[in-house]
Amino acid sequence: MSDPIALWHAEHVNFASLLDILEKQLDLFHRGKPPDYGMMLDIMFYMTHYPDVLHHPKEESAFARLKEREPRSGTILDRLTGQHARLKQCGDALVIALDDIVNGSITRREHVEAPGRAYIAEFRSHMETEETQILPLAQKLLRDEDWESIEAAIRDVDDPLFSDTGGERYAALRRQIARESRTAKASPR
Ligand SMILES: [Fe+2]
Ligand SMILES: [Fe+2]
């Protein structure tokens, strides 16, 4: 079995790269330049069809086990679970707003920026807490048999963007991610 903690972390790295791309688009908008609303919609569509559908439910299954083993972690795990619900709600609202813009109906474009930035900030701080506090706890407390039960309890969904089996739906976004990663390599911060 591949290392579940490494996979967990790798998904966070993927999500962080998408939040960076989304933020750059909002920055363009902020400077009065036209962002790529289609790409923003692709990102938010993915966020509501992979992290919300697989990553977060799987975490919540892991959280339940962690809570049993380490009851003192309950407060923070409950807070993270609440954030999953809020991120889903905000993500769904952004998909609707962006979809309306892309399809030319009347959503005011200004309405995308503040919710977009709030979504990015909350998702980032959520992952930061998981990375610094929960993954190390899971590393310490969860065994192979825990992970087998967690996997078995979750509907198996291939990552439609980052896995090898990803389809055409995200072809343009995949090209953008490749471009961003080449730029990052060429000019390391
Ligand atoms: Fe989470
Ligand atoms: Fe996570």
Side-chain angles (χ1 to χ4, degrees):
M1 177 183 193
S2 44
D3 178 356
I5 302 284
L7 284 176
W8 196 350
H9 171 68
E11 292 201 326
H12 285 167
V13 172
N14 290 342
F15 304 156
S17 73
L18 293 177
L19 295 176
D20 288 349
I21 295 174
L22 188 62
E23 186 172 52
K24 280 187 191 170
Q25 293 300 316
L26 292 175
D27 289 346
L28 279 179
F29 177 81
H30 193 72
R31 296 200 302 269
K33 300 196 171 138
D36 185 338
Y37 288 111
M39 191 165 66
M40 292 165 75
L41 176 58
D42 284 348
I43 290 172
M44 288 315 304
F45 192 83
Y46 170 80
M47 288 306 208
T48 53
H49 285 80
Y50 187 73
D52 283 342
V53 171
L54 186 119
H55 181 91
H56 293 158
K58 194 161 151 182
E59 285 179 338
E60 286 173 22
S61 180
F63 291 175
R65 279 161 192 268
L66 288 174
K67 221 165 150 177
E68 272 170 32
R69 308 269 160 84
E70 178 54 84
R72 280 176 304 176
S73 65
T75 308
I76 189 164
L77 293 169
D78 289 346
R79 183 160 62 79
L80 290 167
T81 300
Q83 279 184 318
H84 287 168
R86 202 157 55 241
L87 285 168
K88 176 166 173 25
Q89 203 177 29
C90 298
D92 286 342
L94 276 166
V95 167
I96 291 169
L98 287 163
D99 198 36
D100 282 351
I101 290 174
V102 168
N103 291 318
S105 61
I106 49 168
T107 300
R108 289 186 52 200
R109 297 176 177 203
E110 291 81 356
H111 290 173
V112 173
E113 187 177 359
R117 290 198 190 278
Y119 181 87
I120 291 168
E122 180 149 31
F123 211 120
R124 280 180 179 155
S125 93
H126 179 84
M127 290 197 293
E128 170 79 15
T129 304
E130 289 177 345
E131 285 284 329
T132 55
Q133 302 190 47
I134 306 306
L135 271 65
L137 193 66
Q139 179 86 63
K140 197 167 83 177
L141 298 179
L142 300 184
R143 304 277 163 259
D144 283 353
E145 50 272 28
D146 293 310
W147 285 109
E148 278 159 24
S149 311
I150 291 165
E151 296 288 342
I154 299 296
R155 181 163 66 96
D156 195 24
V157 179
D158 274 342
D159 187 324
L161 175 59
F162 290 98
S163 76
D164 296 338
T165 55
E168 268 305 291
R169 171 71 179 80
Y170 295 105
L173 182 54
R174 223 173 273 122
R175 285 194 294 274
Q176 182 65 25
I177 292 165
R179 270 195 296 275
E180 295 281 338
S181 109
R182 277 197 300 274
T183 311
K185 278 183 196 135
S187 55
R189 272 179 245 172

